[in-house]
Amino acid sequence: MSYDLLFQQALAAHEQGHFDEAEQIYRQILETAPENPDVLNLLGLVAQAKGVHNQAIELFYKAIKQAPKHAPFYFNLAISLAASGHDVEALDNLQKACDIEPDEKEIYNQQGLVLQKLKRITEAQQAFLKALQLDENYAEAKTNLALTYAESNPEKAIAFLQEIANQFSEDVTCRYYLCTLFFDKQDYENAQKYAMQAHNLNPSSDEVLFMLGLLALQKQNITDAKMYFQSATEQNSYNIGAWLNLANLETNEKDFDNAEKIYKKLLDIAPQNFDVHLNYANMLYQQHRLNEALEEYRAAVIINPEAAPVSNNIGVILKDLQQYEDALGLFFNALARDQTREEYAINISETLVLLYRQNKEIAVQVAENWLKNMPDNLFAQHICASLKGEKLENNQIFAEKLFDNFADNYELVLEKINYSLPRRIRDLAGNVKGTVVDLGCGSGLIGQALKTPENQIIGVDISRNMLHLAAQKGVYKQLIKGDITAFCQKKIAEINPDLIVAADVFGYIGNLAPVLSALRGRKICFSVEVFDENGDYKLNEAGRYLYNEAYITNLLQQNGFTQINKYDVVLRQEDGKDVNGLLFFA
């Protein structure tokens, strides 16, 4: 086949997005013309389209060596340099392109994009304005100019983009960015509006299809989300975000085989992508493939050593492997980088409890150092008191934060620890009629156990996230957010319930005198974890209160309770051992 025919065949494949076929033909041409600058440039563009920018840069430099006065080669090189993080070098090559072709608007537009990336906003705006001086109807430069205001003044950016959308009725790009800005504002109605406008103008835009997928996810429409993400990958097989969301959805649905295929494909496409390594590691962890997960997390750390979630996730694996001190180091590193993430503090607390059971002295020392360095951290305060056996009275904010973070995995954890208290209460209480108040209702397991057509149940809990889970059970007449002691003191007389239940909640209160006094004259059922030593109650190393049986009995008698019945119960399991307690009916 002649050179010209091969070249035309390669160009056709390239234009149709058949990059592998195009690359194969270009390389075939290079065998006979190894220094052809146009073919070297086109091969560079193929590598650029695939996201293999290091290879693209090498090819563009070779093309420039053969044709040093050709501006497009410098322009293309600058795009791959910027994509690889070599922004200053990209600007240098854009200037070389500009020196050769000073009236090329695309060069100024690209300069603006790189300058904006470098946060040199004023210079970026000047570059976009130069492009617009060359062509006042250059919609892309107008859109990019509008986006320079997105961070400092998003409303101005949106207004500017809306003007562009009105001026250019066929412009997809400004509508796409309007969608993204409204999405960031959580204005999903307007985001959907502009996404659909962009999609109608260009149904094959993988970026728009990706945004439609994200919007479908916001509506919990998984089927549509998958369809849009899949379509995005069909339009652009290198759309990392679309592939990653597909893999994550497969992971969420426990289709680990398909998820792993996609993650491995992504690692071939983008081996240095932090999110790919992180999400693949999360999937491996869910499958308890701890050593493989650890490798992926470590690969993510190499890419982004500042990422707090990776330190946390490696710590979780080391905790599972009983390497508690190493795990704590990683959790503290994560918390130091992002003190707003309460889950990191919870992981520290849980690991300190496990370490305490191995080495009390070291665990207490670590907890004291934590409290010294972060004296306002509620979890540091609580675990330090717990490990030292000090009393720390009802901490409403601590309980709220703990269970808000615990909510997502709450019932899964209860299954693992053989939590059977709701069933035991139901068996002892029988068919309860009238109004039941469920104190510390959590995710609603007590409500589920006691609900019959002959009763109505009111749930009370400090955690909004737990109440959301309870609402999904569909068994509560009313759900109230609040501290249960304050609720009992202010609302119980008004409600006048037939039974009050407090299952596994008094362990977070301490002094029970105020709450039992408020329940005087009511029929109550509650569980407590007990201890046999002297004293009324104490905080154990896990941060829960244990009670002396005599203390509870005396309190009930002092508040006029009669017919006090006590039942031995196994509350849960910890470290494979039964945790014993008492269930009171009074």
Side-chain angles (χ1 to χ4, degrees):
M1 187 179 291
S2 72
Y3 172 90
D4 287 339
L5 283 174
L6 274 175
F7 193 70
Q8 291 304 317
Q9 185 179 341
L11 282 177
H14 194 160
E15 288 171 0
Q16 292 168 16
H18 302 152
F19 299 128
D20 291 337
E21 180 186 348
E23 180 179 1
Q24 185 177 0
I25 301 171
Y26 288 141
R27 292 194 181 280
Q28 186 179 343
I29 295 171
L30 281 180
E31 288 177 6
T32 56
E35 295 182 349
N36 185 305
D38 291 322
V39 177
L40 288 167
N41 175 63
L42 288 165
L43 261 176
L45 290 173
V46 168
Q48 190 177 83
K50 288 182 173 183
V52 189
H53 292 288
N54 288 339
Q55 186 183 107
I57 289 166
E58 182 182 349
L59 288 160
F60 292 135
Y61 271 125
K62 286 181 178 180
I64 288 169
K65 185 177 180 181
Q66 300 303 318
K69 296 297 184 182
H70 196 52
F73 295 172
Y74 292 100
F75 180 83
N76 294 336
L77 172 60
I79 290 174
S80 281
L81 285 168
S84 303
H86 304 296
D87 298 311
V88 175
E89 194 177 347
L91 284 175
D92 181 54
N93 280 278
L94 285 168
Q95 187 58 51
K96 290 176 181 177
C98 189
D99 292 342
I100 298 168
E101 293 187 13
D103 294 330
E104 189 59 56
K105 63 185 180 183
E106 283 82 4
I107 297 173
Y108 296 108
N109 182 61
Q110 189 63 33
Q111 280 180 330
L113 290 173
V114 179
L115 288 163
Q116 185 177 9
K117 185 180 172 188
L118 289 168
K119 304 295 184 184
R120 292 158 62 177
I121 302 301
T122 302
E123 293 173 80
Q125 290 168 344
Q126 290 169 352
F128 294 133
L129 288 169
K130 283 182 183 178
L132 289 168
Q133 286 171 4
L134 293 167
D135 180 0
E136 63 180 11
N137 292 318
Y138 187 11
E140 184 178 345
K142 278 195 172 185
T143 296
N144 290 332
L145 179 59
L147 290 171
T148 61
Y149 299 101
E151 190 171 325
S152 61
N153 192 342
E155 295 300 332
K156 181 175 181 177
I158 287 172
F160 199 162
L161 287 169
Q162 286 174 324
E163 286 180 20
I164 298 167
N166 291 333
Q167 181 182 358
F168 300 98
S169 60
E170 301 297 313
D171 188 84
V172 175
T173 306
C174 70
R175 288 168 171 80
Y176 164 75
Y177 282 114
L178 277 166
C179 167
T180 63
L181 288 174
F182 278 118
F183 188 91
D184 291 342
K185 287 182 60 180
Q186 299 183 355
D187 183 347
Y188 301 122
E189 183 178 349
N190 272 314
Q192 183 78 30
K193 168 187 165 183
Y194 285 106
M196 289 308 301
Q197 285 184 14
H199 182 58
N200 291 335
L201 289 168
N202 184 4
S204 62
S205 168
D206 64 292
E207 291 180 318
V208 175
L209 287 164
F210 174 68
M211 288 306 302
L212 286 168
L214 293 182
L215 287 161
L217 277 184
Q218 285 295 326
K219 298 177 182 176
Q220 300 296 311
N221 190 336
I222 305 302
T223 301
D224 280 0
K226 280 187 173 182
M227 177 194 71
Y228 284 123
F229 292 138
Q230 186 64 47
S231 297
T233 64
E234 289 166 2
Q235 297 300 326
N236 177 7
S237 60
Y238 297 93
N239 189 313
I240 306 300
W243 280 120
L244 190 55
N245 274 277
L246 280 173
N248 293 343
L249 287 171
E250 299 288 9
T251 299
N252 292 342
E253 294 175 354
K254 309 298 181 187
D255 189 347
F256 297 123
D257 288 341
N258 274 333
E260 186 160 16
K261 288 176 185 175
I262 299 173
Y263 287 129
K264 286 183 174 179
K265 178 184 179 71
L266 280 166
L267 288 173
D268 287 338
I269 297 172
Q272 294 301 307
N273 187 290
F274 170 79
D275 290 323
V276 173
H277 286 284
L278 179 61
N279 285 275
Y280 184 32
N282 291 341
M283 187 215 76
L284 291 167
Y285 179 73
Q286 285 189 45
Q287 292 184 283
H288 306 290
R289 295 159 62 182
L290 300 186
N291 289 327
E292 293 171 85
L294 207 51
E295 285 184 24
E296 290 301 322
Y297 282 132
R298 283 172 173 156
V301 166
I302 291 169
I303 296 167
N304 184 2
E306 300 297 313
V310 183
S311 288
N312 176 70
N313 291 348
I314 296 175
V316 169
I317 291 178
L318 293 180
K319 184 180 81 167
D320 289 348
L321 295 172
Q322 299 183 10
Q323 298 176 31
Y324 301 131
E325 291 186 62
D326 288 342
L328 283 166
L330 288 156
F331 290 142
F332 279 119
N333 180 60
L335 186 63
R337 296 185 187 284
D338 187 355
Q339 295 190 32
T340 65
R341 293 288 292 273
E342 289 159 357
E343 66 179 282
Y344 302 161
I346 291 172
N347 285 338
I348 292 171
S349 298
E350 291 176 348
T351 308
L352 280 170
V353 172
L354 296 170
L355 179 61
Y356 181 86
R357 292 167 184 169
Q358 282 187 351
N359 191 318
K360 294 182 179 180
E361 184 177 338
I362 291 178
V364 170
Q365 183 180 355
V366 172
E368 288 177 335
N369 286 338
W370 182 18
L371 184 60
K372 179 181 177 181
N373 291 325
M374 297 184 183
D376 296 328
N377 188 290
L378 293 173
F379 296 95
Q381 295 169 8
H382 202 272
I383 194 64
C384 197
S386 300
L387 298 185
K388 294 167 74 173
E390 299 172 352
K391 285 188 177 181
L392 188 66
E393 295 302 338
N394 183 19
N395 188 330
Q396 300 173 27
I397 300 175
F398 167 79
E400 179 178 4
K401 289 180 178 294
L402 178 67
F403 284 98
D404 273 346
N405 279 276
F406 196 27
D408 287 344
N409 299 311
Y410 180 69
E411 293 191 10
L412 181 63
V413 171
L414 292 186
E415 285 180 21
K416 290 181 179 179
I417 62 175
N418 294 327
Y419 182 68
S420 59
L421 202 54
R423 183 172 64 251
R424 186 70 190 277
I425 290 174
R426 181 196 61 205
D427 292 343
L428 290 171
N431 186 9
V432 181
K433 298 180 181 179
T435 299
V436 178
V437 169
D438 181 7
L439 298 176
C441 63
S443 65
L445 296 177
I446 292 293
Q448 260 189 326
L450 295 183
K451 182 67 183 128
T452 73
E454 298 178 280
N455 63 29
Q456 55 185 11
I457 304 179
I458 298 171
V460 185
D461 203 282
I462 195 78
S463 165
R464 189 178 305 280
N465 291 349
M466 284 293 194
L467 289 172
H468 177 70
L469 293 176
Q472 295 175 15
K473 300 286 192 298
V475 297
Y476 289 90
K477 178 188 177 186
Q478 185 180 7
L479 288 163
I480 300 169
K481 181 184 182 301
D483 172 67
I484 63 171
T485 301
F487 171 84
C488 291
Q489 290 171 334
K490 296 176 183 178
K491 295 292 184 180
I492 282 295
E494 178 185 327
I495 295 171
N496 193 26
D498 297 278
L499 175 66
I500 299 162
V501 180
D504 211 22
V505 67
F506 286 171
Y508 299 93
I509 292 182
N511 181 10
L512 293 182
V515 67
L516 291 180
S517 174
L519 299 180
R520 179 191 296 266
R522 310 286 173 187
K523 183 177 180 181
I524 62 173
C525 166
F526 62 91
S527 64
V528 290
E529 192 173 341
V530 293
F531 71 104
D532 295 328
E533 305 162 18
N534 293 330
D536 297 336
Y537 55 91
K538 70 174 185 178
L539 201 60
N540 74 355
E541 75 275 8
R544 288 187 297 272
Y545 281 100
L546 280 60
Y547 295 91
N548 190 304
E549 180 181 346
Y551 166 72
I552 301 290
T553 302
N554 290 337
L555 265 184
L556 289 170
Q557 291 173 343
Q558 290 168 16
N559 284 286
F561 286 94
T562 58
Q563 300 177 12
I564 300 170
N565 297 301
K566 294 174 273 189
Y567 304 89
D568 292 322
V569 290
V570 175
L571 297 172
R572 62 188 168 276
Q573 287 188 326
E574 286 182 3
D575 298 331
K577 299 177 183 178
D578 289 344
V579 175
N580 297 310
L582 288 173
L583 185 61
F584 282 83
F585 272 84

